[in-house]
């Protein structure tokens, strides 16, 4: 056999993408609960560390002392009228971090329960309308 005398030609294959059409018709509430609990726990830790750092900076700058002095000077009565306010206890580290822990614990409970209820509501709605469709494509 003889090779053709013309220039060599090469055929390039066009890029083909594979596509997958998927439908999300059910979300498992147990896995949503576990995932949302872990995420809310991580957010709680971030909140707690941020409050500790912010409290340390503000305490080092003397902001709480200035606020306490201002409240004390505004509320002291000249005629013996005492309001029995103790603003120095309002900004104690134990109280600030205690309230932060309480708010963080409530956030963990609320975020976990609301996302689990949301997953159940999604499953009910997906039974009626069929969920939502996703098209995934693979590119090279």
């Amino acid at each position: 056999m003889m090779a053709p005398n013309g220039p060599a030609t090469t055929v390039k294959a066009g890029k083909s993408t594979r596509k997958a059409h998927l439908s999300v018709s059910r979300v498992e509430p147990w896995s949503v609960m576990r995932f949302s609990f872990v995420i809310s726990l991580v957010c709680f830790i971030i909140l707690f560390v941020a409050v500790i750092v912010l409290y340390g900076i503000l305490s080092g700058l003397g902001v709480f002392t200035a606020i306490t002095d201002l409240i004390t000077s505004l509320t002291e009565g000249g005629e013996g009228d005492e309001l029995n306010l103790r603003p120095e206890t309002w900004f104690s580290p134990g109280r600030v971090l205690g309230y932060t822990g309480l708010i963080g614990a409530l956030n963990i409970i609320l975020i976990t329960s609301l996302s689990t209820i949301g997953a159940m509501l999604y499953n009910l709605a997906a039974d009626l309308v069929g969920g939502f469709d996703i098209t995934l494509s693979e590119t090279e």
Side-chain angles (χ1 to χ4, degrees):
M1 292 196 60
M2 304 219 24
N5 290 337
T9 57
T10 59
V11 177
K12 272 189 159 179
K15 286 188 177 182
S16 65
T17 59
R18 293 190 311 173
K19 291 186 177 183
H21 186 73
L22 301 172
S23 177
V24 179
S25 59
R26 178 163 173 74
V27 177
E28 188 63 36
W30 178 249
S31 65
V32 169
M33 186 181 81
R34 289 182 298 174
F35 180 76
S36 64
F37 175 74
V38 170
I39 292 297
S40 60
L41 190 64
V42 168
C43 290
F44 169 69
I45 293 170
I46 291 170
L47 172 73
F48 206 75
V49 170
V51 167
I52 289 172
V53 169
L54 189 61
Y55 183 84
I57 291 171
L58 292 176
S59 180
L61 292 173
V63 172
F64 300 127
T65 306
I67 292 174
T68 303
D69 293 341
L70 177 67
I71 292 172
T72 303
S73 68
L74 289 175
T75 58
E76 63 186 18
E79 302 169 1
D81 295 336
E82 200 63 37
L83 294 177
N84 291 329
L85 293 177
R86 295 183 347 150
E88 62 273 359
T89 61
W90 297 350
F91 303 112
S92 67
R95 181 171 281 198
V96 171
L97 295 179
Y99 283 136
T100 303
L102 179 67
I103 290 171
L106 288 175
N107 276 338
I108 289 173
I109 292 169
L110 285 175
I111 290 170
T112 303
S113 61
L114 288 177
S115 61
T116 305
I117 291 170
M120 289 181 202
L121 290 175
Y122 175 79
N123 289 338
L124 287 174
D127 287 341
L128 294 174
V129 296
F132 63 91
D133 295 332
I134 300 174
T135 301
L136 302 174
S137 62
E138 179 183 20
T139 59
E140 293 182 26

